[in-house]
Amino acid sequence: MNNYVEIKFDNEILADILHISNFGKYSIKLDTIEPAQSPRNAVDVLSMLFSLLEKNPETPAGRVYMGNQAEILHRTMLNLSEVINSFGNIEVTVTTTSEDEEGNIIETKAVTNITVSETEASETTEN
């Protein structure tokens, strides 16, 4: 069975970290052995992206990620709040294929659109 995830988003900061130059637009389709869960927020998308890149080292994007993994993860963590808040137009399509008892192939697609809004953190001081 062929399960895969398509991830599309805008994020100039992450595009720079991942060494891609599509003016901050990212679109990738990666295979996954186990059915993937739809992400709930931008952090889930980031985690899913890195996990899928790691599991697909034979793809061009996977090779870049694996060859620069330490730098990419380091830069992402140093700039995590900016990376998360820079996400825009996130669309994740999770496609799962299965076979029913009669041998028919069933393809299921779950499309998730996520909007990121910058949140203000309030600081509390204890006396």
Side-chain angles (χ1 to χ4, degrees):
M1 298 297 130
N2 185 21
N3 301 320
Y4 59 91
V5 177
E6 293 176 88
I7 302 174
K8 298 177 184 177
F9 59 82
D10 299 339
N11 189 323
E12 289 187 27
I13 295 171
L14 189 57
D16 179 54
I17 290 171
L18 292 172
H19 307 292
I20 59 173
S21 59
N22 294 336
F23 305 103
K25 297 190 182 306
Y26 198 79
S27 178
I28 191 164
K29 179 179 173 181
L30 294 168
D31 291 331
T32 179
I33 295 169
E34 66 279 346
Q37 296 296 318
S38 294
R40 295 180 310 276
N41 52 45
V43 174
D44 286 353
V45 172
L46 188 61
S47 176
M48 174 184 272
L49 174 64
F50 287 164
S51 175
L52 288 168
L53 287 170
E54 194 169 290
K55 292 176 183 173
N56 288 273
E58 72 286 350
T59 64
R63 277 194 297 277
V64 169
Y65 175 75
M66 295 306 290
N68 301 287
Q69 188 176 27
E71 176 201 352
I72 289 169
L73 294 176
H74 178 75
R75 289 182 63 196
T76 300
M77 291 309 297
L78 285 177
N79 301 297
L80 188 58
S81 64
E82 291 88 2
V83 168
I84 297 301
N85 289 326
S86 294
F87 272 106
N89 302 317
I90 301 172
E91 180 180 293
V92 178
T93 304
V94 176
T95 302
T96 307
T97 56
S98 59
E99 192 173 319
D100 67 13
E101 57 277 349
E102 297 172 2
N104 298 314
I105 302 296
I106 300 168
E107 183 175 274
T108 306
K109 287 188 181 211
V111 178
T112 304
N113 292 293
I114 298 172
T115 302
V116 178
S117 59
E118 194 167 343
T119 58
E120 288 185 33
S122 59
E123 190 174 311
T124 305
T125 307
E126 243 179 75
N127 292 333

